[in-house]
Amino acid sequence: MRRWVLARTGAARVSTVPNGVDVRRIVPAPPGPGVPVVVFVGTLKPWHGVEDLLRAASLAREPWRLRIIGDGPRRAGLEELAGRLVLRVDFRGPVAPEDVPAHLAGAAIGAAPYPRTDDEGDQYFSPLKVYEYLAAGLPVVASRTGQLPEVLEGLGVLVPPSDPAALAAAIDALAADPARRAALGRAGRARAVARHSWADVVGRIMRLAGVAEAGHG
């Protein structure tokens, strides 16, 4: 998006500020008992890679379950695919933003399985779901694409996009290692509070714009 703005405006200085998360609204909750739950939050559209997540679940060698939070035009097809793969998936449907924390509660791992695109430049997103996972204290398994390698450095596991086998192996490894999940989750929560709160995002924007923050001038 920065390149797009530069190409169309000729501006001398353009800064990129990623999205953030409300770290007071989304807080860590203990994982539920029994089989680890892998959660996905987002609109069910092709560029979110939920098909790959379902196929990864069908390849799993460790026990874990899927919870899909969100709705969209691919939902019927995803439910059909889950049936063909003989998977029991918890499709939660549309959830109001204020209810997301309750639906994240009890999960053990957050997933962001973005698929491969023809042009890496197409991955212009700043994924809210990933910041929400971090704020919730969830280790993240995500595709190695776009901003994700930078955001998730030391906080999760990156896999090649559009590779259900690699995705399954990464989730299996975390599902079998609760101590590592807990360590990554603590680190993610700390990073979310320190760098990715909306207060921090607004502060950066104001500093870049040369505007004094409230209470400081």
Side-chain angles (χ1 to χ4, degrees):
M1 292 186 73
R2 182 177 184 277
R3 290 195 300 269
W4 185 90
V5 171
L6 285 169
R8 285 157 178 78
T9 66
R13 184 171 66 96
V14 177
S15 299
T16 304
V17 180
N19 276 322
V21 63
D22 187 336
V23 296
R24 293 173 296 180
R25 182 173 65 89
I26 298 182
V27 298
V35 175
V37 172
V38 177
V39 67
F40 168 89
V41 181
T43 306
L44 303 183
K45 293 184 176 179
W47 53 85
H48 283 161
V50 182
E51 290 89 345
D52 290 332
L53 186 56
L54 294 177
R55 292 189 173 93
S58 73
L59 299 172
R61 295 179 179 273
E62 295 287 338
W64 45 273
R65 295 184 289 117
L66 274 180
R67 179 187 301 168
I68 308 296
I69 302 170
D71 203 0
R74 298 299 288 265
R75 180 173 176 179
L78 292 169
E79 291 177 336
E80 181 184 350
L81 177 60
R84 292 202 309 270
L85 296 173
V86 197
L87 297 173
R88 294 180 62 185
V89 179
D90 181 6
F91 285 96
R92 295 285 174 98
V95 171
E98 62 269 21
D99 296 330
V100 167
H103 288 268
L104 288 174
I109 300 166
Y114 291 98
R116 183 183 299 109
T117 58
D118 293 335
D119 181 359
E120 177 66 15
D122 290 339
Q123 299 288 13
Y124 59 86
F125 49 78
S126 181
L128 288 169
K129 65 169 64 61
V130 171
Y131 298 118
E132 291 179 343
Y133 298 155
L134 296 179
L138 298 178
V140 183
V141 177
S143 299
R144 188 182 292 107
T145 186
Q147 292 182 348
L148 293 175
E150 178 183 356
V151 173
L152 292 175
E153 182 181 2
L155 307 178
V157 181
L158 296 169
V159 299
S162 301
D163 189 338
L167 184 60
I171 295 174
D172 280 350
L174 283 178
D177 193 342
R180 187 182 180 212
R181 293 202 309 269
L184 289 172
R186 288 191 298 269
R189 171 67 186 181
R191 183 82 60 83
V193 172
R195 300 187 189 179
H196 300 304
S197 72
W198 282 121
D200 181 67
V201 169
V202 171
R204 275 183 280 172
I205 292 171
M206 293 179 73
R207 289 190 294 273
L208 288 165
V211 178
E213 297 182 51
H216 297 280

